[in-house]
Amino acid sequence: MTDIHAQRILILDFGSQFTQLIARRVREAGVYCEIYACDVDVAHIKSFKPDGIILSGGPESVTASTRYPLPDVIFEFAVPVLGICYGMQLLANYFGAEVASADHSEFGYATVRARGHSMLLKDIQDHINDEGHGLLDVWMSHGDRVESLPDGFKLIASTDNAPIAGFANEERNIYALQFHVEVTHTRQGAAIIHRFVRDICRCEANWQPKSIASDCIAKARQQIGDANVLLGLSGGVDSSVVAALLHQAIGTQLTCVFVDTGLLRHQEGDQVMATFSESLGVRVIRVNAEQEFLAALEGVDDPERKRKVIGGLFIDIFEREAAKITDVRFLAQGTIYPDVIESAGSATGKAHVIKSHHNVGGLPEHMKLELVEPLRELFKDEVRLVGRELGLPAEMVDRHPFPGPGLGVRILGEVRKDYADTLRLADHIFIEELRRHDLYNKVSQAFAVFLPVKSVGVTGDGRRYAHVICLRCVETTDFMTAIWSRLPEDFLDLVSRRIINELDSVSRVVYDISGKPPATIEWE
Ligand code: XMP
């Protein structure tokens, strides 16, 4: 079996908001990589043994007293190094060139002229100008700029605003670019990262869905041996892929507990059972707990309180069911790489709690189970690819994210069964039309929200005094920031008419035009 981790790129994170995108582009080029914080212990970097190193951008300035200087260790491996944005300024500073905190800050599109026929940019271009020079459309976002070339380095890119927009020492394979190759606005960004990791670092494209799936299965099998494993299956992408993967790895040693909270989407519970229990033959225990959840939520209207009630009850029910299964040693969880990075980052304790997220599978320590986390190394898009590889239906693996508390946070205020039933149907109409109009996969997340206020409507000759449904649809790459989707007016009109015509309990449909920030994606 190919060792998918044998060749690897290290990404040192200096705090850029785009660092995860660098990792995703490297992996899309077929090469394994990991992100380490820029102040990570040198021993970690040494034991990682990278075949190439990428230095991310970051909010700091090398002209101030640099808080996180470039660690010397990165040059000890004699492997190629690529500095991006702040990473370039760090390299410039390290090699003795001048970096000025200038009035030349640049945010947005720029045209870069490639120079010096570098291995990094050779034959990669968007346009050719009248003099025959290759030009690239790129995304810039920097305050400082490099004012002189370090000794031994040559110029490889320039813009009108930043005459030194890239430099290289090709004997030592050290490259630096001022623009952000990792963002999709830089049209040739993926090609440049591909060039760096595949041609300059000479890594092979071993990181492929099929091999990733086999690797995850083999590792899980090795970790679990002949023990039994419990998994909280939610129907979401991550736990579904874990279920499919562990089913292949350990078959009947896996038992899934699927708690139907009554706060799931239209027919979701039946679909989960059809996919896992009926088609794949996974052992799934379905717990119909709608009554318990509705009872626990009666009279509760505060969003945080609702989240706590739902999360707490979920754990109680899960534990109660788990206690019926004897001889379990492991608990499987759908932790993915961004969770790993985030919990390393949030260890600093600086982040504010905006919402207490509840994830199916986040269970109390006293259960004394060891963890199996087969997706720990994967980004969400890789989880999806692996899911497809394992034969899960596209509608399941490409599904938009759904919060742990489910419709509980999409019914504002008190949760009631009639509200949940109305919301489920309205949401289903919205999603069905998005799919029918080929829009579902073009947006990041879409759903309906139930607003428990009444408004007057007129249907035929009658008056309808009923509730309001809000449609929410956003586009985002990381769910940290988002813009509202500019859905076609005719499409919104159709969805609105269908919802009001088909549901007597709705008199009005509105569309949410708030971005994140300042709003959040969910309403509660
Ligand atoms: P917000 O509303 O914070 O949501 O902008 C960002 C993303 O997170 C999802 N979300 C959750 N996911 N448990 C989850 O697993 C939760 O409690 C939760 N709350 C929000 C939300 O759907 C969006 O994709």
Side-chain angles (χ1 to χ4, degrees):
M1 200 167 84
T2 326
D3 179 357
I4 56 175
H5 301 97
Q7 293 180 312
R8 40 177 54 205
I9 301 291
L10 170 68
I11 297 164
L12 267 193
D13 178 23
F14 290 89
S16 163
Q17 47 172 329
F18 303 131
T19 305
Q20 289 196 25
L21 292 180
I22 304 178
R24 282 165 61 180
R25 297 289 100 80
V26 170
R27 302 236 188 136
E28 280 159 16
V31 180
Y32 180 64
C33 61
E34 281 186 32
I35 298 174
Y36 282 8
C38 57
D39 56 348
V40 67
D41 210 31
V42 169
H44 274 86
I45 301 182
K46 285 191 171 158
S47 65
F48 187 75
K49 296 204 181 69
D51 295 280
I53 298 172
I54 300 180
L55 313 171
S56 83
E60 302 262 327
S61 175
V62 291
T63 53
S65 52
T66 306
R67 195 147 42 122
Y68 301 114
L70 209 49
D72 295 317
V73 61
I74 65 167
F75 299 106
E76 283 176 19
F77 303 101
V79 296
V81 175
L82 169 64
I84 298 172
C85 195
Y86 177 71
M88 158 158 158
Q89 291 157 14
L90 275 171
L91 284 169
N93 183 262
Y94 186 88
F95 290 106
E98 190 191 340
V99 180
S101 161
D103 3 316
H104 300 285
S105 58
E106 240 180 328
F107 300 98
Y109 285 103
T111 301
V112 158
R113 188 179 138 189
R115 292 177 180 267
H117 304 280
S118 67
M119 172 79 169
L120 185 63
L121 301 178
K122 197 159 81 111
D123 300 328
I124 299 179
Q125 63 218 4
D126 290 301
H127 321 275
I128 297 186
N129 69 7
D130 294 343
E131 293 106 68
H133 301 129
L135 299 178
L136 291 161
D137 294 332
V138 306
W139 183 259
M140 289 276 195
S141 174
H142 63 106
D144 300 349
R145 78 175 191 188
V146 175
E147 296 286 343
S148 63
L149 280 175
D151 278 349
F153 285 75
K154 71 175 188 185
L155 185 66
I156 64 167
S158 60
T159 68
D160 290 346
N161 219 341
I164 302 180
F167 57 73
N169 177 328
E170 298 210 271
E171 289 74 53
R172 293 184 65 187
N173 276 322
I174 300 173
Y175 293 88
L177 294 173
Q178 186 59 69
F179 53 93
H180 287 275
V181 276
E182 66 278 30
V183 303
T184 46
H185 306 288
T186 296
R187 288 165 58 195
Q188 299 299 327
I192 297 169
I193 291 199
H194 188 280
R195 172 71 56 80
F196 180 71
V197 299
R198 301 289 310 285
D199 300 332
I200 297 176
C201 301
R202 296 174 188 275
C203 292
E204 282 168 38
N206 291 331
W207 186 258
Q208 301 295 342
K210 204 178 176 67
S211 331
I212 302 171
S214 318
D215 182 82
C216 294
I217 291 171
K219 284 224 179 87
R221 219 175 252 153
Q222 194 184 15
Q223 184 190 357
I224 297 164
D226 57 8
N228 290 328
V229 180
L230 183 67
L231 167 69
L233 181 61
S234 70
V237 179
D238 302 337
S239 71
S240 296
V241 175
V242 172
L245 205 140
L246 290 183
H247 180 64
Q248 289 210 6
I250 55 164
T252 53
Q253 288 161 250
L254 171 71
T255 304
C256 300
V257 172
F258 167 53
V259 179
D260 186 341
T261 58
L263 302 171
L264 300 177
R265 290 165 284 192
H266 184 61
Q267 294 177 339
E268 189 164 3
D270 295 343
Q271 280 161 6
V272 167
M273 294 310 286
T275 307
F276 288 98
S277 181
E278 289 147 40
S279 337
L280 291 177
V282 179
R283 188 199 306 232
V284 187
I285 298 171
R286 177 177 184 166
V287 189
N288 290 318
E290 181 185 39
Q291 293 307 332
E292 277 181 83
F293 278 88
L294 288 174
L297 287 167
E298 212 178 300
V300 184
D301 56 10
D302 173 69
E304 272 305 288
R305 185 85 208 105
K306 284 202 286 184
R307 282 173 173 273
K308 296 261 153 56
V309 168
I310 297 171
L313 181 58
F314 185 92
I315 290 172
D316 291 347
I317 295 177
F318 188 88
E319 275 194 90
R320 187 176 77 202
E321 293 305 316
K324 297 179 190 161
I325 311 163
T326 48
D327 197 21
V328 174
R329 186 169 143 207
F330 292 99
L331 177 74
Q333 287 195 342
T335 315
I336 65 173
Y337 194 42
D339 304 330
V340 175
I341 300 171
E342 206 170 286
S343 53
S346 60
T348 58
K350 290 196 188 96
H352 287 187
V353 175
I354 307 286
K355 294 178 187 180
S356 52
H357 276 208
H358 146 64
N359 292 306
V360 171
L363 296 168
E365 272 184 25
H366 67 82
M367 283 188 78
K368 298 264 178 290
L369 294 173
E370 292 169 51
L371 287 185
V372 183
E373 298 176 309
L375 311 178
R376 258 185 92 82
E377 286 182 347
L378 308 189
F379 284 107
K380 192 86 176 186
D381 29 10
E382 295 170 329
V383 172
R384 296 199 157 102
L385 293 171
V386 166
R388 278 171 185 246
E389 194 59 48
L390 295 168
L392 289 178
E395 311 84 73
M396 180 163 261
V397 293
D398 292 337
R399 227 168 181 194
H400 293 167
F402 187 62
L407 301 188
V409 290
R410 293 182 179 170
I411 295 167
L412 304 196
E414 187 184 4
V415 176
R416 290 174 30 176
K417 176 156 169 60
D418 54 335
Y419 292 177
D421 288 341
T422 298
L423 176 57
R424 243 187 295 271
L425 292 173
D427 185 74
H428 176 61
I429 292 171
F430 186 27
I431 299 300
E432 186 175 66
E433 292 298 340
L434 282 167
R435 288 200 191 274
R436 192 173 291 160
H437 287 80
D438 204 18
L439 289 166
Y440 186 82
N441 290 321
K442 298 193 173 118
V443 301
S444 312
Q445 193 173 11
F447 53 91
V449 181
F450 185 89
L451 310 186
V453 285
K454 283 191 165 180
S455 93
V456 174
V458 52
T459 48
D461 291 327
R463 176 182 193 265
R464 188 187 287 176
Y465 185 51
H467 289 118
V468 181
I469 286 290
C470 173
L471 306 177
R472 178 77 163 138
C473 186
V474 295
E475 278 152 53
T476 170
T477 47
D478 54 9
F479 296 88
M480 307 289 282
T481 61
I483 56 165
W484 56 276
S485 305
R486 270 58 174 175
L487 291 175
E489 286 170 17
D490 288 349
F491 171 81
L492 288 169
D493 181 55
L494 171 82
V495 175
S496 159
R497 273 186 295 117
R498 266 199 69 190
I499 292 176
I500 299 174
N501 286 340
E502 292 174 35
L503 303 176
D504 291 342
S505 46
V506 179
S507 63
R508 197 171 291 266
V509 171
V510 297
Y511 188 54
D512 184 348
I513 54 165
S514 329
K516 173 181 180 176
T520 53
I521 295 174
E522 302 288 346
W523 274 49
E524 284 195 338

